[in-house]
Coordinates of all heavy atoms in Angstrom, one line a residue:
M1 N 50.9 144.7 85.1 CA 49.9 144.1 86.1 C 50.3 142.6 86.2 O 50.5 141.9 85.2 CB 48.5 144.2 85.5 CG 47.5 143.6 86.4 SD 45.8 144.0 85.8 CE 45.3 142.3 85.4
R2 N 50.3 142.1 87.4 CA 50.6 140.7 87.7 C 49.4 139.9 87.6 O 48.3 140.3 88.1 CB 51.2 140.5 89.1 CG 52.7 141.0 89.1 CD 53.3 140.7 90.4 NE 53.1 139.3 90.9 CZ 53.7 138.8 91.9 NH1 54.5 139.6 92.6 NH2 53.5 137.6 92.3
L3 N 49.5 138.7 86.9 CA 48.4 137.8 86.8 C 48.2 137.1 88.2 O 49.2 136.9 88.9 CB 48.7 136.7 85.8 CG 48.7 137.2 84.3 CD1 49.2 136.0 83.4 CD2 47.4 137.7 83.8
P4 N 47.0 136.7 88.5 CA 46.8 135.8 89.7 C 47.6 134.6 89.5 O 47.9 134.1 88.4 CB 45.3 135.5 89.7 CG 44.7 136.6 88.9 CD 45.7 137.0 87.9
L5 N 48.0 134.0 90.6 CA 48.9 132.8 90.6 C 48.5 131.7 89.7 O 49.3 131.2 88.9 CB 49.2 132.3 92.0 CG 50.2 131.2 92.2 CD1 51.6 131.7 91.8 CD2 50.2 130.7 93.6
A6 N 47.2 131.3 89.8 CA 46.8 130.2 88.9 C 46.8 130.5 87.5 O 47.2 129.7 86.7 CB 45.3 129.8 89.3
K7 N 46.5 131.7 87.1 CA 46.6 132.1 85.7 C 48.0 132.2 85.2 O 48.4 131.8 84.1 CB 45.9 133.5 85.4 CG 44.4 133.4 85.3 CD 43.9 134.7 84.8 CE 42.4 134.6 84.5 NZ 41.9 135.8 84.0
A8 N 48.9 132.7 86.1 CA 50.3 132.8 85.7 C 50.9 131.4 85.5 O 51.6 131.2 84.6 CB 51.1 133.6 86.8
F9 N 50.5 130.5 86.4 CA 51.0 129.1 86.3 C 50.5 128.4 85.0 O 51.2 127.7 84.3 CB 50.7 128.3 87.5 CG 51.3 126.9 87.5 CD1 52.6 126.7 87.7 CD2 50.5 125.8 87.2 CE1 53.2 125.4 87.7 CE2 51.0 124.5 87.2 CZ 52.4 124.3 87.4
A10 N 49.2 128.7 84.7 CA 48.6 128.1 83.5 C 49.3 128.6 82.3 O 49.2 127.9 81.2 CB 47.1 128.4 83.5
A11 N 49.9 129.8 82.3 CA 50.5 130.4 81.2 C 51.9 129.8 80.9 O 52.5 130.1 79.9 CB 50.6 131.9 81.3
V12 N 52.4 128.9 81.8 CA 53.7 128.3 81.6 C 53.6 127.3 80.5 O 53.0 126.2 80.7 CB 54.2 127.7 83.0 CG1 55.5 127.0 82.7 CG2 54.4 128.8 84.0
N13 N 54.3 127.5 79.4 CA 54.3 126.6 78.3 C 55.7 126.2 77.8 O 55.8 125.4 76.8 CB 53.5 127.1 77.1 CG 52.0 127.2 77.5 OD1 51.4 126.3 78.0 ND2 51.5 128.4 77.3
S14 N 56.7 126.8 78.4 CA 58.1 126.5 77.9 C 59.0 126.6 79.1 O 58.7 127.1 80.2 CB 58.5 127.5 76.8 OG 58.6 128.8 77.4
R15 N 60.3 126.3 78.9 CA 61.3 126.4 79.9 C 61.5 127.9 80.3 O 61.6 128.2 81.5 CB 62.6 125.8 79.5 CG 63.7 125.9 80.5 CD 64.9 125.2 80.1 NE 65.9 125.4 81.2 CZ 66.9 124.5 81.4 NH1 67.1 123.5 80.6 NH2 67.7 124.7 82.4
A16 N 61.5 128.7 79.3 CA 61.7 130.2 79.6 C 60.5 130.7 80.4 O 60.7 131.5 81.3 CB 61.8 130.9 78.3
D17 N 59.3 130.2 80.1 CA 58.1 130.7 80.9 C 58.2 130.2 82.3 O 57.9 130.9 83.2 CB 56.8 130.0 80.3 CG 56.4 130.6 78.9 OD1 56.9 131.7 78.6 OD2 55.5 130.0 78.3
W18 N 58.7 128.9 82.5 CA 58.8 128.4 83.8 C 59.9 129.2 84.6 O 59.6 129.5 85.8 CB 59.2 126.9 83.8 CG 59.7 126.4 85.1 CD1 60.9 126.0 85.4 CD2 58.9 126.3 86.3 NE1 61.0 125.7 86.8 CE2 59.7 125.8 87.3 CE3 57.6 126.5 86.6 CZ2 59.3 125.6 88.6 CZ3 57.1 126.3 87.9 CH2 58.0 125.8 88.9
E19 N 61.0 129.5 84.0 CA 62.0 130.2 84.7 C 61.6 131.6 85.1 O 61.9 132.1 86.1 CB 63.3 130.2 83.8 CG 64.0 128.8 83.8 CD 65.1 128.7 82.8 OE1 65.4 129.7 82.1 OE2 65.8 127.7 82.8
A20 N 60.8 132.2 84.2 CA 60.2 133.6 84.5 C 59.2 133.5 85.6 O 59.1 134.4 86.4 CB 59.6 134.2 83.2
F21 N 58.5 132.4 85.7 CA 57.5 132.2 86.8 C 58.2 131.9 88.1 O 57.9 132.4 89.1 CB 56.6 131.0 86.4 CG 55.6 130.6 87.5 CD1 54.4 131.3 87.6 CD2 55.8 129.6 88.3 CE1 53.4 131.0 88.6 CE2 54.9 129.2 89.3 CZ 53.7 129.9 89.4
R22 N 59.2 131.0 88.0 CA 59.9 130.5 89.2 C 60.8 131.5 89.9 O 60.9 131.6 91.1 CB 60.7 129.2 88.8 CG 61.6 128.7 89.8 CD 62.7 127.9 89.2 NE 63.6 128.8 88.5 CZ 64.6 128.4 87.7 NH1 64.8 127.1 87.5 NH2 65.4 129.2 87.1
T23 N 61.6 132.2 89.1 CA 62.8 132.9 89.6 C 62.3 134.0 90.7 O 62.9 134.0 91.7 CB 63.6 133.6 88.5 OG1 64.0 132.5 87.6 CG2 64.7 134.4 89.0
P24 N 61.3 134.8 90.4 CA 61.0 135.8 91.4 C 60.4 135.2 92.7 O 60.5 135.7 93.8 CB 59.9 136.7 90.7 CG 59.4 135.9 89.6 CD 60.5 135.0 89.2
R25 N 59.7 134.0 92.5 CA 59.1 133.4 93.7 C 60.2 132.7 94.6 O 60.2 132.8 95.8 CB 58.1 132.3 93.2 CG 56.9 133.0 92.7 CD 55.9 132.1 91.9 NE 54.8 132.8 91.5 CZ 54.7 133.6 90.5 NH1 55.8 133.8 89.7 NH2 53.6 134.3 90.2
L26 N 61.2 132.2 93.9 CA 62.4 131.6 94.7 C 63.1 132.7 95.4 O 63.5 132.6 96.6 CB 63.3 130.8 93.8 CG 62.9 129.4 93.4 CD1 63.9 128.8 92.5 CD2 62.7 128.6 94.7
A27 N 63.3 133.8 94.7 CA 64.0 135.0 95.4 C 63.2 135.5 96.6 O 63.8 135.8 97.6 CB 64.2 136.1 94.3
A28 N 61.9 135.6 96.5 CA 61.0 136.0 97.6 C 61.1 135.0 98.7 O 61.2 135.4 99.9 CB 59.6 136.2 97.1
L29 N 61.1 133.7 98.4 CA 61.2 132.7 99.5 C 62.5 132.8 100.2 O 62.6 132.8 101.4 CB 61.0 131.3 98.9 CG 61.1 130.1 99.8 CD1 60.1 130.2 100.9 CD2 61.0 128.8 99.1
K30 N 63.6 132.9 99.4 CA 64.9 133.0 100.1 C 65.0 134.3 100.9 O 65.6 134.2 102.0 CB 66.0 133.0 99.0 CG 66.2 131.7 98.4 CD 67.3 131.8 97.3 CE 67.4 130.4 96.6 NZ 68.4 130.5 95.5
A31 N 64.5 135.4 100.5 CA 64.5 136.6 101.3 C 63.6 136.4 102.5 O 64.0 136.9 103.6 CB 63.9 137.8 100.4
A32 N 62.5 135.7 102.5 CA 61.7 135.5 103.6 C 62.3 134.6 104.6 O 62.1 134.8 105.8 CB 60.3 134.9 103.2
L33 N 63.1 133.6 104.2 CA 63.7 132.7 105.1 C 65.0 133.3 105.8 O 65.3 132.9 106.9 CB 64.2 131.4 104.3 CG 63.0 130.5 103.8 CD1 63.6 129.4 103.0 CD2 62.2 130.0 105.0
G34 N 65.6 134.3 105.1 CA 66.8 134.9 105.7 C 68.0 134.0 105.5 O 68.0 133.1 104.8
D35 N 69.1 134.5 106.1 CA 70.4 133.7 106.0 C 70.3 132.4 106.8 O 69.8 132.4 107.9 CB 71.5 134.6 106.5 CG 71.7 135.8 105.6 OD1 71.4 135.7 104.4 OD2 72.2 136.9 106.1
W36 N 70.9 131.4 106.2 CA 71.1 130.1 106.9 C 72.5 130.0 107.3 O 73.4 130.5 106.6 CB 70.8 129.0 105.9 CG 69.3 128.8 105.7 CD1 68.5 129.6 104.9 CD2 68.5 127.9 106.3 NE1 67.2 129.1 104.9 CE2 67.2 128.1 105.8 CE3 68.7 126.8 107.2 CZ2 66.1 127.3 106.2 CZ3 67.6 126.1 107.5 CH2 66.3 126.3 107.0
P37 N 72.7 129.4 108.4 CA 74.1 129.2 108.9 C 74.8 128.2 107.9 O 74.1 127.4 107.3 CB 74.0 128.6 110.3 CG 72.6 128.1 110.4 CD 71.8 128.9 109.4
D38 N 76.1 128.3 107.8 CA 76.9 127.3 107.0 C 76.7 125.9 107.5 O 76.5 125.7 108.7 CB 78.4 127.7 107.0 CG 78.7 128.9 106.3 OD1 77.9 129.3 105.3 OD2 79.6 129.6 106.6
P39 N 76.8 124.9 106.6 CA 76.7 123.5 107.1 C 77.9 123.3 108.1 O 78.9 123.9 107.9 CB 76.8 122.7 105.9 CG 76.9 123.6 104.7 CD 76.9 125.0 105.2
P40 N 77.7 122.3 109.0 CA 78.8 122.1 109.9 C 80.0 121.5 109.2 O 79.9 120.8 108.2 CB 78.2 121.0 110.9 CG 77.0 120.4 110.2 CD 76.5 121.5 109.2
A41 N 81.2 121.8 109.7 CA 82.4 121.2 109.1 C 82.5 119.7 109.3 O 83.0 119.0 108.5 CB 83.6 121.9 109.8
R42 N 81.9 119.3 110.5 CA 81.8 117.8 110.8 C 80.4 117.5 111.1 O 79.8 118.0 112.0 CB 82.7 117.5 112.0 CG 82.8 116.0 112.2 CD 84.0 115.7 113.1 NE 84.1 114.2 113.1 CZ 83.8 113.5 114.2 NH1 83.5 114.1 115.3 NH2 83.9 112.2 114.2
L43 N 79.8 116.5 110.3 CA 78.5 116.2 110.4 C 78.3 115.3 111.7 O 78.9 114.3 111.9 CB 78.0 115.4 109.2 CG 76.5 115.0 109.1 CD1 75.7 116.3 108.9 CD2 76.3 114.1 107.9
R44 N 77.3 115.7 112.6 CA 77.0 115.0 113.8 C 75.9 113.9 113.4 O 74.9 114.3 112.9 CB 76.5 115.9 114.9 CG 77.6 116.7 115.5 CD 77.1 117.6 116.6 NE 76.4 116.9 117.6 CZ 75.6 117.5 118.6 NH1 75.5 118.8 118.6 NH2 75.0 116.7 119.5
V45 N 76.2 112.7 113.7 CA 75.3 111.6 113.4 C 75.1 110.7 114.6 O 76.1 110.4 115.2 CB 75.8 110.7 112.2 CG1 74.8 109.6 111.9 CG2 76.0 111.6 110.9
E46 N 73.9 110.4 114.9 CA 73.6 109.5 116.1 C 72.7 108.4 115.7 O 71.7 108.7 115.0 CB 73.1 110.3 117.3 CG 74.0 111.3 117.8 CD 73.5 112.0 119.0 OE1 72.6 111.5 119.7 OE2 73.9 113.2 119.3
V47 N 72.9 107.2 116.1 CA 72.0 106.1 115.9 C 71.2 106.0 117.2 O 71.7 105.7 118.3 CB 72.7 104.7 115.6 CG1 71.8 103.6 115.5 CG2 73.6 104.8 114.4
L48 N 69.9 106.2 117.1 CA 69.0 106.2 118.2 C 68.5 104.8 118.6 O 68.2 104.5 119.8 CB 67.8 107.1 118.0 CG 68.1 108.6 117.7 CD1 66.9 109.4 117.5 CD2 69.0 109.2 118.8
K49 N 68.3 104.0 117.6 CA 67.7 102.6 117.8 C 68.1 101.7 116.6 O 68.2 102.2 115.5 CB 66.2 102.8 117.9 CG 65.4 101.5 118.1 CD 63.9 101.8 118.2 CE 63.1 100.6 118.3 NZ 61.6 100.9 118.4
T50 N 68.3 100.4 116.9 CA 68.6 99.5 115.9 C 67.6 98.4 115.9 O 67.3 97.8 117.0 CB 70.0 98.9 116.1 OG1 71.0 100.0 116.0 CG2 70.4 97.9 115.0
I51 N 67.0 98.1 114.8 CA 66.0 97.0 114.7 C 66.5 95.9 113.8 O 66.7 96.1 112.6 CB 64.7 97.6 114.1 CG1 64.2 98.9 114.8 CG2 63.6 96.6 113.9 CD1 63.2 99.7 114.1
P52 N 66.7 94.7 114.4 CA 67.2 93.6 113.6 C 66.1 93.0 112.8 O 64.9 92.9 113.1 CB 67.6 92.6 114.7 CG 66.8 92.9 115.9 CD 66.5 94.4 115.8
G53 N 66.4 92.5 111.6 CA 65.5 91.8 110.7 C 66.2 90.5 110.2 O 67.3 90.1 110.7
E54 N 65.6 89.8 109.3 CA 66.2 88.6 108.7 C 67.2 88.9 107.6 O 66.8 89.2 106.5 CB 65.1 87.7 108.2 CG 64.2 87.1 109.3 CD 63.3 86.0 108.8 OE1 63.6 85.3 107.8 OE2 62.2 86.0 109.3
G55 N 68.5 89.0 108.0 CA 69.5 89.3 107.0 C 69.8 90.8 106.9 O 70.6 91.2 106.1
F56 N 69.1 91.6 107.6 CA 69.3 93.1 107.5 C 69.1 93.7 108.9 O 68.5 93.1 109.8 CB 68.3 93.7 106.5 CG 66.9 93.6 106.9 CD1 66.3 94.7 107.6 CD2 66.1 92.5 106.6 CE1 65.0 94.6 107.9 CE2 64.8 92.5 107.0 CZ 64.2 93.5 107.6
V57 N 69.5 94.9 109.0 CA 69.3 95.7 110.2 C 68.8 97.1 109.8 O 69.2 97.6 108.8 CB 70.6 95.9 111.0 CG1 70.5 96.8 112.2 CG2 71.2 94.5 111.4
I58 N 67.9 97.7 110.6 CA 67.4 99.1 110.3 C 67.9 99.9 111.5 O 67.7 99.6 112.7 CB 65.9 99.2 110.3 CG1 65.3 98.2 109.2 CG2 65.5 100.6 110.0 CD1 63.8 98.1 109.2
D59 N 68.7 100.9 111.2 CA 69.1 101.9 112.2 C 68.3 103.2 112.1 O 68.2 103.7 111.0 CB 70.6 102.3 112.0 CG 71.6 101.1 112.2 OD1 71.3 100.3 113.1 OD2 72.5 101.0 111.4
N60 N 67.7 103.6 113.2 CA 67.0 104.9 113.3 C 68.1 105.9 113.6 O 68.7 105.9 114.6 CB 66.0 104.9 114.3 CG 64.8 104.0 114.0 OD1 64.3 103.4 114.9 ND2 64.4 103.8 112.8
V61 N 68.4 106.8 112.6 CA 69.5 107.7 112.7 C 69.0 109.2 112.7 O 67.9 109.5 112.1 CB 70.4 107.5 111.4 CG1 71.5 108.5 111.3 CG2 70.9 106.1 111.3
V62 N 69.7 110.0 113.4 CA 69.5 111.5 113.3 C 70.8 112.1 112.9 O 71.9 111.6 113.4 CB 68.9 112.1 114.6 CG1 67.5 111.6 114.8 CG2 69.8 111.9 115.8
Y63 N 70.8 113.2 112.1 CA 72.0 113.9 111.8 C 71.7 115.4 111.9 O 70.5 115.8 111.6 CB 72.6 113.5 110.5 CG 71.8 113.8 109.3 CD1 72.0 115.0 108.6 CD2 70.9 112.8 108.8 CE1 71.2 115.2 107.4 CE2 70.2 113.1 107.7 CZ 70.4 114.2 107.0 OH 69.6 114.5 105.9
E64 N 72.6 116.2 112.3 CA 72.5 117.6 112.4 C 72.9 118.3 111.1 O 74.1 118.5 110.8 CB 73.3 118.1 113.6 CG 72.9 119.5 114.1 CD 73.7 119.9 115.3 OE1 74.7 119.4 115.6 OE2 73.1 120.8 116.0
S65 N 71.9 118.8 110.3 CA 72.1 119.4 109.1 C 72.6 120.8 109.2 O 73.4 121.3 108.4 CB 70.9 119.3 108.2 OG 69.9 120.1 108.7
R66 N 72.2 121.5 110.2 CA 72.6 122.9 110.6 C 72.6 122.9 112.1 O 71.9 122.1 112.7 CB 71.6 123.9 110.0 CG 71.6 124.0 108.5 CD 72.9 124.6 107.9 NE 72.8 125.0 106.6 CZ 73.1 124.2 105.6 NH1 73.5 122.9 105.8 NH2 73.1 124.6 104.3
P67 N 73.3 123.8 112.7 CA 73.3 123.9 114.2 C 71.9 123.9 114.7 O 71.1 124.8 114.4 CB 74.0 125.2 114.5 CG 74.9 125.4 113.3 CD 74.1 124.9 112.1
G68 N 71.6 122.9 115.5 CA 70.2 122.8 116.2 C 69.1 122.2 115.3 O 68.0 122.1 115.7
V69 N 69.4 121.9 114.0 CA 68.4 121.3 113.1 C 68.7 119.9 112.9 O 69.7 119.5 112.1 CB 68.4 122.1 111.8 CG1 67.3 121.5 110.8 CG2 68.1 123.6 112.0
W70 N 68.0 119.0 113.5 CA 68.2 117.5 113.3 C 67.3 116.9 112.3 O 66.1 117.3 112.2 CB 68.0 116.9 114.7 CG 69.1 117.2 115.7 CD1 69.1 118.3 116.5 CD2 70.3 116.5 115.8 NE1 70.2 118.3 117.2 CE2 71.0 117.2 116.8 CE3 70.9 115.4 115.2 CZ2 72.3 116.8 117.2 CZ3 72.1 115.0 115.7 CH2 72.8 115.7 116.6
V71 N 67.8 116.0 111.5 CA 67.0 115.3 110.4 C 67.0 113.9 110.8 O 68.0 113.3 111.2 CB 67.7 115.5 109.1 CG1 66.9 114.8 108.0 CG2 67.8 117.0 108.7
T72 N 65.8 113.3 110.7 CA 65.7 111.8 110.9 C 65.9 111.0 109.7 O 65.6 111.5 108.6 CB 64.3 111.5 111.5 OG1 63.3 111.9 110.6 CG2 64.1 112.2 112.9
A73 N 66.3 109.8 109.8 CA 66.5 108.9 108.7 C 66.6 107.5 109.1 O 66.8 107.2 110.3 CB 67.8 109.2 107.9
N74 N 66.3 106.6 108.2 CA 66.5 105.1 108.5 C 67.6 104.6 107.6 O 67.6 104.9 106.4 CB 65.2 104.4 108.2 CG 64.1 104.7 109.1 OD1 64.3 105.1 110.3 ND2 62.8 104.5 108.7
R75 N 68.5 103.9 108.2 CA 69.6 103.3 107.5 C 69.4 101.8 107.5 O 69.3 101.1 108.5 CB 70.9 103.6 108.1 CG 72.1 102.9 107.4 CD 73.4 103.3 108.0 NE 73.5 103.0 109.4 CZ 74.5 103.3 110.2 NH1 75.5 104.1 109.7 NH2 74.5 103.0 111.5
Y76 N 69.2 101.2 106.3 CA 69.0 99.8 106.1 C 70.4 99.2 105.7 O 71.0 99.7 104.7 CB 68.0 99.5 105.0 CG 66.6 99.9 105.3 CD1 66.2 101.2 105.4 CD2 65.7 98.9 105.6 CE1 64.9 101.6 105.7 CE2 64.4 99.3 106.0 CZ 64.0 100.6 106.0 OH 62.7 101.0 106.4
R77 N 70.8 98.2 106.4 CA 72.1 97.6 106.1 C 72.0 96.1 106.3 O 71.2 95.6 107.1 CB 73.2 98.2 106.9 CG 73.0 98.0 108.4 CD 74.1 98.8 109.2 NE 73.8 98.9 110.6 CZ 74.1 98.0 111.5 NH1 74.8 96.9 111.1 NH2 73.8 98.1 112.7
P78 N 72.8 95.3 105.5 CA 72.8 93.9 105.7 C 73.4 93.5 107.1 O 74.3 94.2 107.6 CB 73.7 93.4 104.6 CG 74.5 94.5 104.1 CD 73.7 95.7 104.5
T79 N 73.0 92.4 107.6 CA 73.5 91.9 108.9 C 75.0 91.6 108.8 O 75.8 91.9 109.7 CB 72.7 90.7 109.4 OG1 71.3 91.0 109.5 CG2 73.2 90.2 110.8
A80 N 75.3 90.9 107.7 CA 76.7 90.5 107.5 C 77.2 91.2 106.2 O 77.1 90.6 105.1 CB 76.9 89.0 107.4
P81 N 77.6 92.4 106.2 CA 77.9 93.1 105.0 C 79.1 92.6 104.2 O 80.1 92.0 104.8 CB 78.2 94.6 105.5 CG 78.6 94.4 106.9 CD 77.9 93.2 107.4
A82 N 79.1 92.7 102.9 CA 80.2 92.4 102.1 C 81.3 93.4 102.3 O 81.1 94.4 103.0 CB 79.8 92.3 100.6
A83 N 82.4 93.3 101.6 CA 83.5 94.2 101.7 C 83.1 95.6 101.3 O 83.5 96.6 102.0 CB 84.7 93.8 100.9
N84 N 82.3 95.8 100.3 CA 81.9 97.1 99.9 C 80.4 97.1 99.6 O 80.0 97.2 98.4 CB 82.7 97.5 98.6 CG 82.8 99.0 98.4 OD1 82.3 99.7 99.3 ND2 83.4 99.4 97.3
P85 N 79.5 97.0 100.6 CA 78.1 96.8 100.3 C 77.4 98.1 99.8 O 77.8 99.2 100.1 CB 77.5 96.4 101.7 CG 78.4 97.2 102.7 CD 79.8 97.1 102.0
P86 N 76.3 97.9 99.1 CA 75.4 99.1 98.7 C 74.6 99.5 99.9 O 74.6 98.8 100.9 CB 74.5 98.5 97.6 CG 74.4 97.0 98.0 CD 75.7 96.6 98.6
G87 N 74.0 100.7 99.9 CA 73.2 101.2 101.0 C 72.1 102.0 100.5 O 72.0 102.5 99.4
V88 N 71.0 102.1 101.3 CA 69.8 102.8 101.0 C 69.6 103.7 102.3 O 69.6 103.2 103.4 CB 68.6 101.9 100.8 CG1 67.4 102.8 100.6 CG2 68.8 101.0 99.6
L89 N 69.4 105.0 102.1 CA 69.1 105.9 103.1 C 67.7 106.6 102.9 O 67.5 107.1 101.8 CB 70.1 107.0 103.3 CG 69.9 108.1 104.3 CD1 70.0 107.5 105.7 CD2 70.8 109.3 104.1
L90 N 66.7 106.4 103.8 CA 65.4 107.0 103.6 C 65.4 108.2 104.6 O 65.5 108.0 105.8 CB 64.3 106.1 104.0 CG 64.2 104.8 103.1 CD1 63.1 103.9 103.6 CD2 64.0 105.2 101.6
S91 N 65.3 109.4 104.1 CA 65.2 110.6 105.0 C 63.8 111.1 104.9 O 63.4 111.6 103.9 CB 66.2 111.6 104.5 OG 66.3 112.7 105.3
H92 N 63.0 110.9 105.9 CA 61.6 111.2 106.0 C 61.3 112.6 105.6 O 61.9 113.6 106.1 CB 61.0 110.9 107.4 CG 61.4 109.5 107.8 ND1 60.8 108.4 107.2 CD2 62.2 109.0 108.7 CE1 61.3 107.3 107.8 NE2 62.1 107.7 108.7
S93 N 60.3 112.8 104.7 CA 59.8 114.1 104.3 C 60.8 114.9 103.6 O 60.7 116.1 103.5 CB 59.2 114.8 105.5 OG 58.1 114.1 106.0
H94 N 61.8 114.4 103.0 CA 62.8 115.1 102.3 C 62.9 114.6 100.8 O 64.0 114.4 100.3 CB 64.2 115.0 102.9 CG 64.2 115.7 104.3 ND1 64.6 117.0 104.4 CD2 63.9 115.3 105.5 CE1 64.5 117.4 105.6 NE2 64.1 116.3 106.3
H95 N 61.8 114.3 100.3 CA 61.8 113.7 98.9 C 60.8 114.4 98.0 O 60.5 115.3 97.7 CB 61.4 112.2 98.9 CG 60.1 111.9 99.7 ND1 60.1 112.1 101.1 CD2 58.9 111.4 99.4 CE1 58.9 111.7 101.5 NE2 58.2 111.3 100.5

């Protein structure tokens, strides 16, 4: 007999319990979603808008993660970058 979800989750007390709880649910989710197309060989990226700041620039970026599936992101970069500058990418709702 399967426990109701809340009771089954409350019974998770170890890594093994977690894996036993998680594994069938992940398998069911993957089966429900079906097959995904392979990632593109070449990533399509477009800058839609650039917003200047004091010493930095924000680029509103979209990239195609799968055919027809676009992901939005903000790219923050220095106005005058060094030879090998660091970067920060914020991809909305993917955290």
Side-chain angles (χ1 to χ4, degrees):
M1 179 173 119
R2 285 184 51 173
L3 294 173
L5 186 61
K7 278 190 172 184
F9 184 74
V12 173
N13 293 309
S14 68
R15 181 178 180 152
D17 291 345
W18 168 248
E19 290 172 353
F21 176 84
R22 173 204 68 189
T23 302
R25 288 165 179 81
L26 280 178
L29 176 61
K30 287 177 184 178
L33 292 173
D35 292 330
W36 284 78
D38 290 332
R42 183 160 190 252
L43 188 64
R44 289 179 56 192
V45 179
E46 295 182 25
V47 177
L48 301 179
K49 181 179 178 182
T50 299
I51 305 165
E54 291 186 33
F56 67 94
V57 176
I58 304 169
D59 295 318
N60 295 143
V61 178
V62 293
Y63 64 92
E64 194 173 24
S65 65
R66 295 290 190 270
V69 179
W70 290 90
V71 179
T72 60
N74 290 336
R75 177 176 59 188
Y76 291 73
R77 58 186 171 88
T79 302
N84 205 3
V88 176
L89 177 71
L90 299 178
S91 187
H92 306 291
S93 298
H94 293 270
H95 49 298

